[in-house]
Amino acid sequence: MKALEISGLKKTYDNGHVALNGVDLTVDKGDFFALLGPNGAGKSTTIGIISSLVNASEGAVKIHGHDLTTERNQCKLLIGLVPQEFNFNVFESPVNILVTQAGYYGIPGSVAEERAERYLKLLELWDKKDRPAREMSGGMKRRLMIARALVHQPAVLILDEPTAGVDIEIRRSMWTFLEDINKEGTTIILTTHYLEEAETLCRNVAIIDDGKIIEQGEVAELLSRSQYQSFVFDLKAPVDKAPALDGFKVTRCEGNRLDVEMPLGDSLNTLFELLGRQGIEVVSMRNKTNRLEEFFLRLVGDDENDSEEEAN
Amino acid sequence: MQSIAAINVVAFKTIVTKEIRRFMRIWVQTIVPPAVSALLYMMIFGTLIGSRVGEMDGHRYIDFIVPGIIMMAVITNSYSNSVSSFFGAKFQHHLEELLIAPVHNVVILAGFVAGGVCRGLIVGALVAAVSLFFTRLSVENPLTTVLVVVLTSTLFSIAGVINSVFAKGFDDISIIPNFVLTPLTYLGGIFYSVKLLPDFWQGLSYINPVLYMINGFRFGILGSSDISIGWSFVVILSFIVILASVALYLLNKGVGIKS
Ligand SMILES: Nc1ncnc2c1ncn2[C@@H]1O[C@H](COP(=O)(O)OP(=O)(O)OP(=O)(O)O)[C@@H](O)[C@H]1O
Ligand SMILES: [Mg+2]
């Protein structure tokens, strides 16, 4: 039995926009799964349908073998949701937010309070427990939503961009936390725009674009299919134009910076040799993107590629 | 594992607790103002003007208007509690906390309505307490009084939920209270007996449902009113059934809350 099985899922919003156009997806129990895709690809819509916030137009969703339309309550009990946008009452305190959410799943007061304490402590929010949630920082609010999603101890935890706007230190501690609960048996499905995050955490990924899954598989296997890698070279002296190097695609970013794309597995020694022959001295180098990012960008097209370059 | 029914019992208690906590947290906005305006009504209409009005329907004028003033507070507060709470939950998206959980729509509706009823009753009791400065307020039929006030409060809490289901912005949650609810309440016989009105206006008044509630309540307290108590219950209960069905239909369809 799978944790999640989606078949032929379609969604057309009331304004006529087709957000999902036949999504098929399976996630194994215990998996750590990433759903990747550019802005507007349909990730949140898919998650909205799974978590009963959005009505599907067509298709079927099963959670642990339960059909979402005919056994909705069983499905709801199995899922914990961390949505993309903050959606708690900002005037309430974290403790009340968690105890209330627990109550909605039938967990009575005393147990709910223990759970609230446990998860607020785990997510390092215990010292804020009685203050109104609006006083918390963005990163704290994200963690509050993770704690809230866990109070009923769901079998499947779905996180829609849980680390957006979270600083690097806290992001790493969130990763460790998620890895821990995954080891304890919780299936995790997350979306993220940090591909490094997906590469570090996830075993399986699916890439969605324009409402369709365009690639799905094991992270390791997808990476082995990735055929190129690129580097950024900083040069000792500026060059006027990109040097022509046989077998490498070189572009000049700035006077003293080159972008080099090369087939995975080719020797870097050859590259340095060719550069040396043209009198170009490299003072430092780094990977332009991580490998999953490289793969992703090739798949979803050039638009994103451009914006990524600007971000670099 | 817990049954879905057992889960929903806990969920109902949770919603009600949350609702009460919400209006108690902002008691200066929710509980105090109706008591202040009731105090002013009783001072101005009851004591100052009332002494010149003399008797109304065989009662001192202040005694006549107190049930209506209590009822007005109950109606507006039940309504505005569920309208602002439900709309707030929609607007801030924390209604989603309920929508993702295995909570039945009947329980969601009942929870918000119970919250509105609690606020209506608390405010009503407070206004009744204020009225003790002006009158003795002896209650002729306690059971009728309690039933009418609870049912009326239920009715307007449901109406508040329906209003907020349709509301897209803050304007939409003040239009109905200002342009429908307030006129109906003022014209529902708080300050006068409809028997004083010319035939046409009297006839028109009988299609105002609020008239049946205020008079039902007045019957409970004073023992007499313009309308038979049986009719009051028929009207109130019918409206509750109709509005509750509409509200559930809207929630089941996800109107205004699901895309
Ligand atoms: N309520 C709505 N009504 C109409 N269109 C919508 C609605 N919600 C989303 N859309 C559209 O559906 C498409 C998919 O949106 P969705 O939020 O699922 O994307 P996403 O993959 O989560 O993107 P992001 O990475 O930006 O969060 C987008 O084109 C979006 O504009
Ligand atoms: Mg999204």
Side-chain angles (χ1 to χ4, degrees):
Chain A
M1 202 198 301
K2 302 283 182 187
L4 171 69
E5 290 162 273
I6 297 180
S7 55
L9 197 63
K10 292 191 179 174
K11 173 65 187 176
T12 307
Y13 280 107
D14 288 343
N15 63 2
H17 184 86
V18 179
L20 300 181
N21 195 7
V23 167
D24 300 296
L25 196 66
T26 46
V27 178
D28 288 329
K29 275 191 186 168
D31 201 355
F32 206 134
F33 189 95
L35 181 60
L36 307 177
N39 288 135
K43 303 178 296 294
S44 298
T45 302
T46 308
I47 289 174
I49 292 172
I50 300 170
S51 50
S52 297
L53 292 174
V54 174
N55 293 321
S57 307
E58 242 180 80
V61 177
K62 281 185 180 176
I63 320 276
H64 281 215
H66 296 287
D67 185 89
L68 185 62
T69 40
T70 55
E71 301 167 281
R72 194 169 288 274
N73 287 328
Q74 278 88 334
C75 292
K76 284 176 165 180
L77 284 166
L78 287 163
I79 295 174
L81 173 69
V82 180
Q84 182 172 2
E85 312 284 347
F86 300 131
N87 73 338
F88 44 81
N89 186 342
V90 293
F91 301 106
E92 285 278 19
S93 65
V95 160
N96 282 338
I97 289 170
L98 263 67
V99 170
T100 302
Q101 186 72 74
Y104 295 161
Y105 289 93
I107 301 162
S110 51
V111 186
E113 275 161 28
E114 280 166 28
R115 297 261 180 100
E117 177 171 351
R118 164 151 187 231
Y119 289 107
L120 287 175
K121 280 184 173 162
L122 274 172
L123 284 140
E124 294 166 47
L125 294 169
W126 189 240
D127 56 328
K128 302 270 180 231
K129 69 183 162 75
D130 294 318
R131 303 297 307 158
R134 63 162 179 229
E135 291 178 7
M136 300 198 305
S137 74
M140 292 173 189
K141 287 176 180 160
R142 293 247 164 247
R143 281 180 283 150
L144 173 61
M145 294 205 297
I146 297 181
R148 183 185 61 179
L150 291 169
V151 279
H152 64 292
Q153 300 180 328
V156 182
L157 179 64
I158 304 178
L159 308 105
D160 199 350
E161 299 191 28
T163 53
V166 172
D167 76 40
I168 191 76
E169 194 183 339
I170 293 182
R171 190 179 310 163
R172 282 181 202 277
S173 80
M174 267 161 74
W175 289 357
T176 319
F177 177 78
L178 292 176
E179 278 172 331
D180 287 347
I181 59 169
N182 177 247
K183 278 190 200 113
E184 288 162 21
T186 309
T187 309
I188 297 185
I189 301 173
L190 67 77
T191 76
T192 177
H193 289 291
Y194 305 112
L195 291 242
E196 176 203 359
E197 182 164 291
E199 194 176 329
T200 316
L201 290 174
C202 300
R203 268 188 293 286
N204 289 290
V205 292
I207 298 176
I208 183 171
D209 192 17
D210 253 339
K212 271 185 122 50
I213 303 288
I214 51 171
E215 192 67 65
Q216 180 170 5
E218 264 181 59
V219 174
E221 195 263 337
L222 291 188
L223 288 180
S224 73
R225 268 200 268 156
S226 131
Q227 313 200 328
Y228 289 91
Q229 55 185 336
S230 8
F231 298 97
V232 176
F233 285 180
D234 290 314
L235 310 179
K236 191 159 192 181
V239 291
D240 295 334
K241 59 179 179 58
L245 305 178
D246 216 18
F248 301 92
K249 191 178 153 209
V250 188
T251 34
R252 196 184 75 119
C253 315
E254 288 154 40
N256 54 357
R257 186 171 289 176
L258 294 180
D259 239 32
V260 181
E261 191 181 290
M262 58 183 281
L264 203 64
D266 276 15
S267 163
L268 279 166
N269 290 2
T270 326
L271 175 65
F272 284 117
E273 218 176 287
L274 291 171
L275 284 168
R277 259 187 240 156
Q278 305 206 10
I280 298 172
E281 271 186 75
V282 177
V283 287
S284 71
M285 70 177 282
R286 62 192 157 85
N287 269 97
K288 186 177 166 204
T289 51
N290 76 351
R291 292 201 296 151
L292 189 59
E293 203 159 308
E294 187 84 35
F295 184 79
F296 176 83
L297 292 174
R298 264 168 215 290
L299 219 56
V300 300
D302 286 340
D303 308 0
E304 278 77 35
N305 207 340
D306 291 340
S307 57
E308 278 299 324
E309 271 179 28
E310 263 160 34
N312 270 325
Chain B
M1 213 177 85
Q2 229 177 342
S3 74
I4 293 293
I7 290 176
N8 274 272
V9 170
V10 179
F12 175 73
K13 288 186 200 153
T14 309
I15 302 174
V16 179
T17 312
K18 176 200 66 145
E19 283 301 289
I20 295 176
R21 192 170 57 231
R22 189 196 75 90
F23 70 70
M24 290 311 278
R25 186 172 50 223
I26 46 174
W27 61 276
V28 180
Q29 293 168 50
T30 53
I31 309 289
V32 178
V36 172
S37 48
L39 180 68
L40 292 171
Y41 277 125
M42 289 181 213
M43 263 164 53
I44 295 165
F45 291 106
T47 320
L48 293 176
I49 298 177
S51 58
R52 306 197 170 206
V53 173
E55 289 207 337
M56 177 76 68
D57 210 22
H59 302 280
R60 279 200 314 153
Y61 188 60
I62 180 77
D63 294 342
F64 181 86
I65 64 168
V66 159
I69 291 174
I70 296 174
M71 214 47 173
M72 180 164 69
V74 171
I75 290 173
T76 38
N77 282 280
S78 307
Y79 192 91
S80 61
N81 195 71
S82 57
V83 89
S84 36
S85 178
F86 198 91
F87 182 71
K90 221 174 91 165
F91 190 74
Q92 277 196 55
H93 295 287
H94 56 83
L95 190 64
E96 291 175 3
E97 293 176 337
L98 269 167
L99 300 179
I100 61 168
V103 186
H104 200 285
N105 284 335
V106 171
V107 171
I108 297 183
L109 178 65
F112 276 93
V113 168
V117 171
C118 288
R119 167 146 154 220
L121 295 184
I122 289 174
V123 169
L126 198 62
V127 173
V130 168
S131 77
L132 292 176
F133 290 114
F134 302 90
T135 168
R136 272 190 38 246
L137 196 76
S138 57
V139 179
E140 288 288 321
N141 306 302
L143 185 64
T144 309
T145 308
V146 170
L147 271 179
V148 171
V149 79
V150 170
L151 290 175
T152 304
S153 171
T154 305
L155 194 166
F156 283 96
S157 301
I158 302 173
V161 172
I162 296 177
N163 185 172
S164 50
V165 162
F166 287 113
K168 293 208 163 63
F170 285 96
D171 282 350
D172 300 337
I173 62 170
S174 63
I175 287 173
I176 303 275
N178 286 331
F179 296 104
V180 181
L181 209 55
T182 310
L184 285 182
T185 330
Y186 277 86
L187 298 174
I190 300 180
F191 296 108
Y192 54 84
S193 159
V194 285
K195 287 179 200 145
L196 296 180
L197 299 175
D199 280 354
F200 173 76
W201 294 106
Q202 213 180 110
L204 201 63
S205 295
Y206 287 117
I207 60 168
N208 176 1
V210 179
L211 183 79
Y212 296 81
M213 300 161 203
I214 288 179
N215 276 287
F217 191 63
R218 184 173 287 136
F219 175 82
I221 292 187
L222 300 179
S224 72
S225 79
D226 289 348
I227 288 187
S228 89
I229 186 65
W231 271 114
S232 287
F233 279 119
V234 168
V235 169
I236 300 173
L237 286 170
S238 313
F239 268 92
I240 289 180
V241 171
I242 294 167
L243 292 183
S245 315
V246 171
L248 276 178
Y249 172 80
L250 294 170
L251 290 181
N252 287 337
K253 278 236 135 189
V255 176
I257 52 179
K258 280 193 188 185
S259 36

